[in-house]
Amino acid sequence: INDFSKAIELKPDFAEAYFIRGHAYVIKGEPDKAINDFSEAIKLKPENTIFRLKRAELFYQLGVLQSCDEEINALKKSGEYREDVLSLEGKVALAKKDFERAIKNFSSARALNPADVPLHLWEIYARYLKITNEAQEAIFASTDKKEKPCLTEHPGYQAELTCLINELNNLSNFLKNNNPSEQEYLATIYYWLGVFYYQLNDHSSAMEKLKEALKIKNNKFREVKDLLNHIWDYRIPHKWWRWWRWSPEPLHRLLKPFCGSIICAVILILTILPFKPDFLNWPINFLRLTPPKEPVFYIIPIVLSLLILFSPLLARFRVGDYEVELTPPPKKEDIATAPTMMQRLLHRGNY
């Protein structure tokens, strides 16, 4: 910043110096100064569309959508219909919930650059928001049922979601066969596939895709872990021993079998000890312990250990007239409904 400030002092009409300094201010987190420098660069070289595009992108990041739209219109009037301009217009349309316009812009941008994977992801995201919004409006407008269906049970939503799944599967296969280096995109695609399969209640396919995403990201994909844990804990019926044997979390994958083995060993020891007091003679003598003779001292720990061991199967229990639900599963709409998560992933990857 200091170097380009000196350059501007020496040559006040140095538009590129203003532009680069403005970019440095963006990185530094001083957007007001960046906008001033971009504006000065545009004033000095109004024909340079890169300057105007960067100011438009900054307006979008700041949420000043009206100013961003004005910049985009100015670019289009000057004949700039590049994919980055159309893509930015699509993002602004999404922020304004104008899904049709967003899809049209992303589609036009993709026509200019068909191999651009981020543009394809943005278009799929826009289509996902559109079908979600339409399904929600149809459900709210429905008066046929007293209890309206949830979003994921709407037939139109399921059909459109299946189309998006097919498109994402085709895209992932294309990347694996032609661009194996694009691992970041593949991880995002697998996560989205996991979310969509989950919403269609295809939990086995969802887990398969989420595991692929986790493998690509070396177990450092928080959103994937959260959804995997949710599916494993709430959506897939399994035996109690299987719950102790495996977990989506690598650390839990070690701790759960270890803890389960300890609980089983405690139950076994407490079951044998009343009948064979000399079963653990050496450690009892070493620790100078006196085994209790009353059966209740063995029965209570055994019952508690069994409750812990079989706790994954306990969804609810009743006490008198009261029923208590243990850790009820969140509603499907509350877990990985995707819109905010997807947009966060797109922005995080600077797509």
Side-chain angles (χ1 to χ4, degrees):
I1 290 174
N2 291 334
D3 290 341
F4 284 102
S5 296
K6 290 177 182 177
I8 290 167
E9 287 179 12
L10 295 172
K11 191 178 180 183
D13 60 347
F14 193 0
E16 286 76 9
Y18 279 106
F19 175 72
I20 298 172
R21 189 176 71 173
H23 191 64
Y25 278 131
V26 171
I27 297 171
K28 192 179 177 184
E30 298 183 23
D32 292 338
K33 293 181 178 179
I35 289 172
N36 290 336
D37 275 356
F38 289 154
S39 301
E40 194 62 35
I42 292 167
K43 191 187 299 182
L44 292 169
K45 281 193 175 180
E47 73 281 1
N48 193 316
T49 55
I50 298 296
F51 297 167
R52 191 175 291 278
L53 178 60
K54 288 299 178 185
R55 186 169 69 173
E57 289 176 349
L58 183 54
F59 280 138
Y60 169 72
Q61 292 168 12
L62 295 173
V64 189
L65 301 182
Q66 185 61 39
S67 297
C68 184
D69 249 344
E70 291 171 1
E71 296 288 356
I72 290 169
N73 290 332
L75 285 166
K76 289 170 74 174
K77 283 180 182 177
S78 64
E80 285 296 322
Y81 282 87
R82 300 197 312 266
E83 64 266 23
D84 47 5
V85 176
L86 292 169
S87 173
L88 182 60
E89 187 176 9
K91 294 174 186 177
V92 172
L94 275 186
K96 293 181 174 181
K97 297 186 177 181
D98 187 349
F99 304 122
E100 290 285 359
R101 177 187 164 202
I103 293 168
K104 181 181 177 182
N105 279 298
F106 291 131
S107 180
S108 300
R110 280 189 61 212
L112 297 174
N113 189 1
D116 194 308
V117 178
L119 282 177
H120 200 164
L121 292 177
W122 273 105
E123 183 184 351
I124 290 173
Y125 174 57
R127 287 163 56 194
Y128 171 77
L129 290 181
K130 178 176 179 287
I131 65 173
T132 301
N133 185 65
E134 288 175 349
Q136 286 175 336
E137 288 179 352
I139 290 169
F140 290 140
S142 174
T143 56
D144 297 337
K145 295 182 180 180
K146 291 181 180 179
E147 188 174 343
K148 297 180 180 180
C150 69
L151 174 66
T152 53
E153 294 173 353
H154 189 271
Y157 179 80
Q158 293 178 344
E160 293 291 341
L161 206 56
T162 302
C163 292
L164 294 184
I165 285 173
N166 293 334
E167 194 165 336
L168 283 171
N169 275 321
N170 291 336
L171 181 57
S172 66
N173 291 332
F174 172 80
L175 288 176
K176 280 194 294 185
N177 296 329
N178 299 281
N179 296 297
S181 59
E182 304 287 8
Q183 297 294 299
E184 184 69 30
Y185 298 145
L186 272 176
T188 300
I189 291 168
Y190 284 136
Y191 170 68
W192 288 15
L193 280 168
V195 171
F196 292 164
Y197 277 124
Y198 166 78
Q199 293 184 336
L200 292 179
N201 291 319
D202 187 350
H203 298 133
S204 58
S205 296
M207 288 193 70
E208 179 187 336
K209 297 301 180 182
L210 293 170
K211 287 177 186 176
E212 288 288 337
L214 209 55
K215 191 188 300 181
I216 291 171
K217 298 291 284 185
N218 296 319
N219 293 313
K220 295 178 181 178
F221 204 147
R222 184 70 260 167
E223 295 85 358
V224 170
K225 288 183 179 181
D226 289 344
L227 185 52
L228 265 174
N229 281 321
H230 172 77
I231 294 173
W232 181 254
D233 290 338
Y234 297 116
R235 302 299 177 186
I236 294 184
H238 42 65
K239 305 291 185 183
W240 63 268
W241 52 266
R242 195 172 172 221
W243 187 89
W244 287 100
R245 193 184 68 179
W246 191 84
S247 172
E249 288 277 7
L251 181 60
H252 294 176
R253 218 173 293 161
L254 297 174
L255 288 177
K256 283 168 73 173
F258 175 76
C259 293
S261 301
I262 293 294
I263 294 169
C264 289
V266 168
I267 294 171
L268 181 64
I269 291 168
L270 291 175
T271 304
I272 296 174
L273 200 57
F275 304 100
K276 295 190 70 176
D278 58 345
F279 173 59
L280 294 175
N281 212 16
W282 179 81
I284 288 174
N285 291 336
F286 179 78
L287 296 171
R288 297 181 181 180
L289 299 174
T290 303
K293 295 180 180 180
E294 293 80 3
V296 69
F297 288 102
Y298 297 98
I299 293 172
I300 292 175
I302 289 173
V303 171
L304 290 175
S305 299
L306 286 170
L307 283 173
I308 295 171
L309 197 62
F310 290 103
S311 60
L313 301 180
L314 295 176
R316 58 181 61 83
F317 65 89
R318 182 180 292 275
V319 179
D321 295 331
Y322 298 96
E323 185 175 74
V324 179
E325 191 167 11
L326 301 174
T327 58
K331 294 180 181 178
K332 192 176 285 285
E333 289 86 348
D334 296 335
I335 296 292
T337 48
T340 54
M341 195 72 72
M342 284 183 168
Q343 187 157 358
R344 194 153 65 239
L345 288 174
L346 287 169
H347 286 305
R348 186 191 301 170
N350 294 320
Y351 296 168

